[in-house]
Amino acid sequence: MKKLFTILGCVALFAVSTTKVSAQDYKNAIGGRFGSYNGVTFKTGLNKNAMLELIGNFRSSDNVNYFQLTGLYEVYNKIGGAPGLNWYYGGGASVGSMKVKGFDGDVYLGLNGVLGLDYKFNGAPINLSLDWIPTLRLTPDTDFYSGDVGLGVRFTF
């Protein structure tokens, strides 16, 4: 698991250092994602109208410990007449772990879709997004999760 996080971290750093973006009105953004699963989100530009988003979701309580890392390729489109507002779609994959008290933990893989709205405030380093991320879980059992709706609040740079 440590090797996976090391590889994903290296890919993210490489993407940050080699990209230029113009359609999204910002190059990089980091912050929080709030929804069914709260977590940390990082976006970086890949080209004129695409971004890579990495999301680390987690939940911990007395009975359940949950962690998931999701990588999404997102294609952005401007909404005419609304400066700073874009809609986006895309897909990606996730890997996660869930441990329920009294049971063995499971590691799972999934395929994700994404559909959302993204807004960058003019003159301020703040970005908001609202998106829906449905998931087709492949392991340990195949099932469809109709999705997580989340609000992203990020600092742009």
Side-chain angles (χ1 to χ4, degrees):
M1 195 66 137
K2 288 181 183 179
K3 288 182 183 180
L4 174 66
F5 293 125
T6 302
I7 292 168
L8 289 174
C10 289
V11 169
L13 288 175
F14 177 75
V16 168
S17 65
T18 62
T19 59
K20 293 182 180 179
V21 174
S22 62
Q24 297 81 355
D25 301 323
Y26 59 94
K27 181 178 178 179
N28 299 303
I30 190 165
R33 185 171 189 279
F34 308 97
S36 299
Y37 304 107
N38 297 325
V40 178
T41 174
F42 172 75
K43 285 188 176 191
T44 187
L46 297 176
N47 62 40
K48 184 179 174 185
N49 68 340
M51 294 192 97
L52 171 68
E53 181 173 12
L54 299 174
I55 305 169
N57 297 75
F58 52 87
R59 180 177 10 175
S60 183
S61 68
D62 293 336
N63 297 323
V64 177
N65 289 317
Y66 169 89
F67 175 79
Q68 177 174 300
L69 182 63
T70 303
L72 299 167
Y73 178 83
E74 300 169 344
V75 177
Y76 283 69
N77 299 286
K78 290 195 175 284
I79 296 177
L85 184 62
N86 295 286
W87 71 277
Y88 62 94
Y89 64 91
S94 57
V95 60
S97 163
M98 181 180 285
K99 228 179 197 182
V100 178
K101 189 174 183 178
F103 296 96
D104 289 336
D106 281 330
V107 173
Y108 60 88
L109 300 171
L111 297 176
N112 305 93
V114 63
L115 179 64
L117 293 172
D118 184 270
Y119 182 73
K120 166 65 174 75
F121 287 92
N122 187 19
I126 304 293
N127 162 251
L128 298 176
S129 67
L130 182 64
D131 57 27
W132 172 57
I133 304 175
T135 303
L136 174 62
R137 291 192 180 131
L138 303 174
T139 62
D141 298 315
T142 303
D143 66 348
F144 179 73
Y145 174 57
S146 62
D148 174 35
V149 174
L151 173 67
V153 180
R154 296 178 200 85
F155 173 77
T156 63
F157 56 100

